[in-house]
Amino acid sequence: MAIDAEVADRAALLRAAIGLATPDSLHLACAITAGATLFITNGTDFPGEVDDLQVMILDSTLIS
C-alpha cells in the first residue's frame, strides 16, 4: 500500500497518541486505512485494539 497523505496523517496521530516508533505507526496506519480487522505483530509496544482494529501480539499467542 502506498503511503499517501491520509496514511501519513493517521500514522502521525498514532505515533503521538500511542508512542509507537515511526515504522510501526506507518504499518498500523496502512492496516487501518485499508480496512483490516486484525493486525498481527511481534512488537510489544502495541495496544490490544486501535480504531476497531484488533492487534495480536504473536509472541504472546505462541506456546513455548
Side-chain angles (χ1 to χ4, degrees):
M1 174 173 195
I3 298 174
D4 59 13
E6 179 184 1
V7 172
D9 287 344
R10 189 175 295 241
L13 291 171
L14 288 167
R15 183 165 162 66
I18 302 170
L20 292 173
T22 300
D24 292 337
S25 63
L26 285 168
H27 286 140
L28 194 55
C30 283
I32 293 168
T33 303
T37 57
L38 176 65
F39 185 83
I40 301 172
T41 183
N42 207 33
T44 57
D45 296 338
F46 288 85
E49 186 174 316
V50 178
D51 292 347
D52 296 328
L53 174 66
Q54 181 184 356
V55 177
M56 180 187 298
I57 309 295
L58 187 60
D59 194 44
S60 67
T61 62
L62 296 177
I63 300 171
S64 300

